[in-house]
Amino acid sequence: MTKKNQHVVPHKDGWAVKGAGNSKATAIHPTQQAAITQARDIARNQGSEMLIHGTNGRIRERNTYGKDPYPPEG
């Protein structure tokens, strides 16, 4: 299984979970929270990153699961 970052993006039927580079959605949910829950589960299982997009399509939040390539300093 490849480690693809998971994106939560607006969709005409609600919110979609898409693996990075995929043209088709993994799943479509009526609410953003439902899509976030699934994307988080997938990202945790793959040790990848979850990126949440706002209604304007811009990334508003990102979470890394597994080894963070850019860990916080401190």
Side-chain angles (χ1 to χ4, degrees):
M1 177 182 292
T2 60
K3 294 182 179 183
K4 285 192 174 186
N5 291 341
Q6 300 300 309
H7 294 258
V8 175
V9 296
H11 186 274
K12 65 180 178 72
D13 296 324
W15 291 86
V17 176
K18 283 180 131 181
N22 291 356
S23 59
K24 289 191 173 191
T26 302
I28 299 166
H29 297 275
T31 66
Q32 187 182 42
Q33 188 56 53
I36 289 169
T37 299
Q38 182 180 25
R40 181 182 300 121
D41 290 344
I42 295 169
R44 281 182 178 158
N45 288 338
Q46 293 182 358
S48 62
E49 196 167 19
M50 175 185 66
L51 296 95
I52 303 168
H53 297 253
T55 53
N56 62 1
R58 295 182 65 178
I59 295 170
R60 66 174 181 86
E61 185 179 334
R62 64 191 317 149
N63 295 293
T64 302
Y65 301 96
K67 291 193 180 234
D68 188 347
Y70 306 104
E73 292 182 23

